Amino acid sequence: MGLPRALKAHTEGDLELAKEHYIRALEQDANNPIIYQNYGALLKSLESFELAETIYLDGLKLYPDHIGINGNLANLYRKIKPVSSLEKYKYTLSLHLSNGESFDSDKVRDVILDIVYVSRELGLIHIGLLIVVRALSIYPSNSSLLLNLMLLLSCENFSANFASY
């Protein structure tokens, strides 16, 4: 089968061989969400962003609630469509929570951090602050959240608006 060979080549860093095997895996059996999740990630790493997006979207047609595909698409969108990434991260967060993960899980924390990072990158300072302050009540000693809080508070737009009060 193509998928085991694709995964092996991908793990070993032979991206061209992995790509060949992912294509073969899609031709043989497109009913495995891991093909879409990992092949899209490989294409993203090769900077084939449009094809990676197509692969992820094809996977989501079959598996709309797959956390891995949704998360990887959010990461891709962060690079090529940052505004769209916020919605995809929000959906990925809801999938984690609906699957029974608690707010104190590492996966949930990481998605919250992604939302904070993208909010800051997009200049959505007030949204980022609301999320980071709430997240700090759950993860009080998380250094990434504390750093983002400082970065958000030091943003020019926020500082200028705060000074006018």
Side-chain angles (χ1 to χ4, degrees), residues 93-165:
L93 178 61
S94 74
L95 290 174
H96 280 292
L97 295 173
S98 68
N99 281 341
E101 292 181 51
S102 66
F103 271 101
D104 60 353
S105 80
D106 291 344
K107 292 177 183 178
V108 168
R109 183 206 58 224
D110 290 346
V111 176
I112 291 171
L113 279 168
D114 287 328
I115 293 169
V116 170
Y117 294 148
V118 173
S119 297
R120 185 173 47 80
E121 290 167 358
L122 291 173
L124 303 171
I125 308 309
H126 291 91
I127 292 171
L129 281 170
L130 288 171
I131 296 168
V132 80
V133 167
R134 177 65 179 114
L136 279 167
S137 70
I138 301 166
Y139 318 104
S141 60
N142 184 281
S143 59
S144 294
L145 285 170
L146 292 168
L147 173 63
N148 271 281
L149 177 61
M150 290 187 296
L151 291 170
L152 286 162
L153 290 171
S154 68
C155 284
E156 189 174 309
N157 292 342
F158 180 77
S159 300
N161 288 337
F162 188 74
S164 67
Y165 288 111

